[in-house]
Short mmCIF file of all heavy atoms in Angstrom, two decimals:
data_model
loop_
_atom_site.label_atom_id
_atom_site.label_comp_id
_atom_site.label_asym_id
_atom_site.label_seq_id
_atom_site.Cartn_x
_atom_site.Cartn_y
_atom_site.Cartn_z
N ASP A 238 4.60 10.34 16.41
CA ASP A 238 5.99 9.84 16.30
C ASP A 238 6.04 8.86 15.12
O ASP A 238 5.37 7.87 15.08
CB ASP A 238 6.37 9.02 17.66
CG ASP A 238 7.75 8.40 17.53
OD1 ASP A 238 8.56 8.95 16.81
OD2 ASP A 238 7.99 7.46 18.27
N TYR A 239 6.81 9.24 14.18
CA TYR A 239 6.91 8.48 12.95
C TYR A 239 8.27 7.74 12.92
O TYR A 239 9.31 8.31 12.54
CB TYR A 239 6.88 9.38 11.69
CG TYR A 239 5.57 10.12 11.64
CD1 TYR A 239 5.52 11.47 12.01
CD2 TYR A 239 4.49 9.53 11.17
CE1 TYR A 239 4.38 12.13 11.99
CE2 TYR A 239 3.20 10.23 11.03
CZ TYR A 239 3.19 11.58 11.44
OH TYR A 239 2.05 12.26 11.41
N PRO A 240 8.33 6.48 13.46
CA PRO A 240 9.64 5.84 13.58
C PRO A 240 10.38 5.56 12.33
O PRO A 240 11.64 5.32 12.32
CB PRO A 240 9.30 4.52 14.33
CG PRO A 240 7.85 4.27 13.97
CD PRO A 240 7.18 5.68 13.81
N SER A 241 9.68 5.56 11.18
CA SER A 241 10.40 5.26 9.86
C SER A 241 10.67 6.52 9.17
O SER A 241 11.15 6.45 8.05
CB SER A 241 9.39 4.44 9.01
OG SER A 241 9.23 3.17 9.55
N GLU A 242 10.56 7.70 9.81
CA GLU A 242 10.91 8.99 9.28
C GLU A 242 11.86 9.67 10.26
O GLU A 242 11.47 10.43 11.14
CB GLU A 242 9.72 9.84 9.00
CG GLU A 242 10.11 11.08 8.20
CD GLU A 242 8.93 12.14 8.05
OE1 GLU A 242 7.94 11.89 8.76
OE2 GLU A 242 9.02 13.04 7.35
N PRO A 243 13.23 9.50 10.06
CA PRO A 243 14.11 10.10 11.00
C PRO A 243 14.21 11.62 10.89
O PRO A 243 14.44 12.29 11.91
CB PRO A 243 15.45 9.54 10.62
CG PRO A 243 15.36 9.03 9.17
CD PRO A 243 13.87 8.69 9.06
N ASN A 244 13.91 12.19 9.73
CA ASN A 244 13.94 13.64 9.57
C ASN A 244 12.48 14.22 9.57
O ASN A 244 11.78 14.16 8.60
CB ASN A 244 14.63 14.10 8.36
CG ASN A 244 14.58 15.61 8.08
OD1 ASN A 244 14.57 16.34 9.02
ND2 ASN A 244 14.68 16.02 6.78
N GLN A 245 12.09 14.74 10.72
CA GLN A 245 10.72 15.34 10.85
C GLN A 245 10.69 16.77 10.95
O GLN A 245 9.62 17.41 11.15
CB GLN A 245 10.06 14.67 12.09
CG GLN A 245 9.88 13.20 11.99
CD GLN A 245 9.16 12.55 13.19
OE1 GLN A 245 8.36 13.15 13.85
NE2 GLN A 245 9.47 11.29 13.45
N GLU A 246 11.88 17.42 10.84
CA GLU A 246 11.93 18.93 10.91
C GLU A 246 11.28 19.61 9.69
O GLU A 246 10.99 20.78 9.74
CB GLU A 246 13.40 19.32 11.02
CG GLU A 246 14.02 18.94 12.30
CD GLU A 246 15.47 19.41 12.42
OE1 GLU A 246 15.95 20.07 11.50
OE2 GLU A 246 16.04 19.27 13.58
N ASN A 247 11.03 18.90 8.52
CA ASN A 247 10.42 19.50 7.35
C ASN A 247 9.02 19.08 7.33
O ASN A 247 8.46 19.09 6.13
CB ASN A 247 11.23 19.07 6.14
CG ASN A 247 11.32 17.60 5.95
OD1 ASN A 247 10.90 16.83 6.73
ND2 ASN A 247 12.06 17.16 4.84
N ASN A 248 8.31 18.67 8.34
CA ASN A 248 7.02 18.27 8.36
C ASN A 248 5.99 19.34 8.55
O ASN A 248 4.79 19.13 8.86
CB ASN A 248 6.75 17.12 9.43
CG ASN A 248 7.29 15.79 9.03
OD1 ASN A 248 8.10 15.65 8.14
ND2 ASN A 248 6.91 14.78 9.73
N TRP A 249 6.41 20.61 8.37
CA TRP A 249 5.59 21.76 8.50
C TRP A 249 6.07 22.85 7.62
O TRP A 249 7.29 22.88 7.17
CB TRP A 249 5.34 22.18 9.90
CG TRP A 249 6.63 22.77 10.50
CD1 TRP A 249 7.63 22.13 11.02
CD2 TRP A 249 6.97 24.18 10.41
NE1 TRP A 249 8.59 23.11 11.43
CE2 TRP A 249 8.22 24.30 11.17
CE3 TRP A 249 6.29 25.33 10.15
CZ2 TRP A 249 8.82 25.47 11.42
CZ3 TRP A 249 6.88 26.52 10.36
CH2 TRP A 249 8.15 26.61 10.97
N ALA A 250 5.25 23.81 7.21
CA ALA A 250 5.65 24.97 6.43
C ALA A 250 4.69 26.10 6.66
O ALA A 250 3.52 25.85 7.19
CB ALA A 250 5.75 24.59 4.96
N TRP A 251 5.02 27.35 6.22
CA TRP A 251 4.21 28.50 6.33
C TRP A 251 3.37 28.81 5.07
O TRP A 251 3.80 28.48 3.93
CB TRP A 251 5.06 29.70 6.66
CG TRP A 251 5.78 29.70 7.93
CD1 TRP A 251 7.09 29.82 8.14
CD2 TRP A 251 5.12 29.82 9.23
NE1 TRP A 251 7.43 29.79 9.46
CE2 TRP A 251 6.23 29.78 10.19
CE3 TRP A 251 3.83 29.81 9.69
CZ2 TRP A 251 6.03 29.81 11.59
CZ3 TRP A 251 3.62 29.78 11.11
CH2 TRP A 251 4.68 29.78 11.97
N ILE A 252 2.25 29.36 5.30
CA ILE A 252 1.42 29.99 4.17
C ILE A 252 1.55 31.44 4.50
O ILE A 252 1.05 31.91 5.60
CB ILE A 252 -0.03 29.53 4.28
CG1 ILE A 252 -0.10 28.00 4.09
CG2 ILE A 252 -0.78 30.24 3.15
CD1 ILE A 252 -1.47 27.45 4.34
N VAL A 253 2.10 32.27 3.65
CA VAL A 253 2.34 33.68 3.88
C VAL A 253 1.60 34.54 2.91
O VAL A 253 1.76 34.26 1.66
CB VAL A 253 3.88 34.01 3.81
CG1 VAL A 253 4.15 35.48 4.17
CG2 VAL A 253 4.69 33.06 4.67
N LEU A 254 0.78 35.45 3.39
CA LEU A 254 0.17 36.40 2.50
C LEU A 254 0.73 37.77 2.68
O LEU A 254 1.07 38.23 3.78
CB LEU A 254 -1.39 36.45 2.87
CG LEU A 254 -2.15 35.22 2.69
CD1 LEU A 254 -3.67 35.43 3.07
CD2 LEU A 254 -2.08 34.70 1.21
N ASN A 255 0.91 38.53 1.47
CA ASN A 255 1.53 39.75 1.47
C ASN A 255 2.90 39.83 2.21
O ASN A 255 3.02 40.56 3.18
CB ASN A 255 0.61 40.81 1.95
CG ASN A 255 -0.56 41.06 1.06
OD1 ASN A 255 -0.43 41.36 -0.12
ND2 ASN A 255 -1.78 40.87 1.56
N PRO A 256 3.83 38.91 1.77
CA PRO A 256 5.10 38.91 2.44
C PRO A 256 5.95 40.08 2.28
O PRO A 256 5.85 40.73 1.20
CB PRO A 256 5.76 37.60 1.90
CG PRO A 256 5.17 37.56 0.49
CD PRO A 256 3.73 38.01 0.68
N THR A 257 6.75 40.40 3.23
CA THR A 257 7.80 41.41 3.06
C THR A 257 9.12 40.73 2.85
O THR A 257 9.27 39.51 2.95
CB THR A 257 7.92 42.32 4.23
OG1 THR A 257 8.14 41.56 5.37
CG2 THR A 257 6.57 43.05 4.53
N ASP A 258 10.12 41.46 2.42
CA ASP A 258 11.41 40.88 2.11
C ASP A 258 12.02 40.05 3.23
O ASP A 258 12.75 39.14 3.02
CB ASP A 258 12.43 41.90 1.67
CG ASP A 258 11.97 42.58 0.32
OD1 ASP A 258 11.22 41.92 -0.40
OD2 ASP A 258 12.36 43.69 0.01
N ASP A 259 11.76 40.48 4.48
CA ASP A 259 12.46 39.87 5.64
C ASP A 259 11.56 38.88 6.34
O ASP A 259 11.96 38.31 7.34
CB ASP A 259 12.89 40.92 6.60
CG ASP A 259 11.75 41.75 7.16
OD1 ASP A 259 10.64 41.61 6.58
OD2 ASP A 259 11.92 42.51 8.05
N GLY A 260 10.39 38.58 5.85
CA GLY A 260 9.49 37.69 6.55
C GLY A 260 8.63 36.78 5.70
O GLY A 260 7.72 36.23 6.16
N GLY A 261 9.09 36.58 4.47
CA GLY A 261 8.21 35.80 3.49
C GLY A 261 8.60 34.38 3.27
O GLY A 261 8.00 33.74 2.41
N SER A 262 9.53 33.88 4.08
CA SER A 262 9.92 32.47 3.87
C SER A 262 8.77 31.48 4.19
O SER A 262 8.07 31.75 5.25
CB SER A 262 11.10 32.14 4.80
OG SER A 262 11.44 30.76 4.67
N THR A 263 8.60 30.56 3.40
CA THR A 263 7.48 29.64 3.63
C THR A 263 7.91 28.27 4.19
O THR A 263 7.09 27.55 4.76
CB THR A 263 6.73 29.37 2.28
OG1 THR A 263 7.63 28.80 1.37
CG2 THR A 263 6.09 30.60 1.78
N GLN A 264 9.20 27.86 3.98
CA GLN A 264 9.56 26.59 4.44
C GLN A 264 9.82 26.59 5.96
O GLN A 264 10.37 27.53 6.52
CB GLN A 264 10.93 26.12 3.76
CG GLN A 264 11.22 24.68 3.96
CD GLN A 264 10.06 23.67 3.58
OE1 GLN A 264 9.49 23.85 2.47
NE2 GLN A 264 9.60 22.89 4.51
N GLY A 265 9.44 25.51 6.57
CA GLY A 265 9.64 25.42 8.09
C GLY A 265 11.14 25.19 8.35
O GLY A 265 11.93 24.89 7.57
N SER A 266 11.39 25.34 9.72
CA SER A 266 12.75 25.11 10.19
C SER A 266 12.72 24.32 11.46
O SER A 266 11.61 23.94 11.97
CB SER A 266 13.40 26.51 10.43
OG SER A 266 12.74 27.24 11.35
N SER A 267 13.90 24.07 12.01
CA SER A 267 13.92 23.28 13.25
C SER A 267 13.05 23.90 14.36
O SER A 267 13.01 25.01 14.59
CB SER A 267 15.38 23.15 13.69
OG SER A 267 15.48 22.47 14.91
N GLY A 268 12.42 22.97 15.02
CA GLY A 268 11.50 23.39 16.12
C GLY A 268 10.04 23.41 15.73
O GLY A 268 9.20 22.90 16.54
N GLY A 269 9.61 23.89 14.59
CA GLY A 269 8.35 23.92 14.14
C GLY A 269 7.45 24.87 14.84
O GLY A 269 7.78 25.43 15.84
N PRO A 270 6.23 25.13 14.29
CA PRO A 270 5.32 26.00 14.91
C PRO A 270 4.70 25.34 16.12
O PRO A 270 4.86 24.20 16.36
CB PRO A 270 4.26 26.22 13.81
CG PRO A 270 4.32 24.95 12.97
CD PRO A 270 5.79 24.49 13.07
N SER A 271 3.93 26.10 16.87
CA SER A 271 3.27 25.58 17.98
C SER A 271 2.19 24.57 17.62
O SER A 271 1.81 24.50 16.40
CB SER A 271 2.61 26.70 18.82
OG SER A 271 1.63 27.35 17.97
N SER A 272 1.77 23.72 18.46
CA SER A 272 0.96 22.64 18.14
C SER A 272 -0.43 23.10 17.69
O SER A 272 -0.87 24.19 18.10
CB SER A 272 0.70 21.67 19.38
OG SER A 272 0.12 22.43 20.48
N THR A 273 -1.07 22.32 16.73
CA THR A 273 -2.35 22.76 16.19
C THR A 273 -3.44 21.88 16.69
O THR A 273 -3.27 20.61 16.79
CB THR A 273 -2.22 22.63 14.69
OG1 THR A 273 -1.10 23.40 14.19
CG2 THR A 273 -3.52 23.11 13.97
N PRO A 274 -4.63 22.37 17.01
CA PRO A 274 -5.69 21.55 17.36
C PRO A 274 -6.06 20.61 16.20
O PRO A 274 -5.98 20.96 15.07
CB PRO A 274 -6.89 22.54 17.77
CG PRO A 274 -6.52 23.77 16.99
CD PRO A 274 -4.93 23.85 16.98
N SER A 275 -6.56 19.45 16.57
CA SER A 275 -6.93 18.44 15.57
C SER A 275 -8.30 18.77 14.90
O SER A 275 -9.23 19.01 15.67
CB SER A 275 -7.03 17.05 16.10
OG SER A 275 -5.78 16.67 16.76
#
Side-chain angles (χ1 to χ4, degrees):
D238 179 24
Y239 301 99
S241 297
E242 185 187 16
N244 178 26
Q245 299 180 27
E246 294 184 354
N247 57 359
N248 284 14
W249 68 277
W251 294 116
I252 303 170
V253 185
L254 296 181
N255 291 303
T257 59
D258 293 340
D259 58 350
S262 174
T263 61
Q264 191 57 53
S266 59
S267 179
S271 59
S272 60
T273 304
S275 301

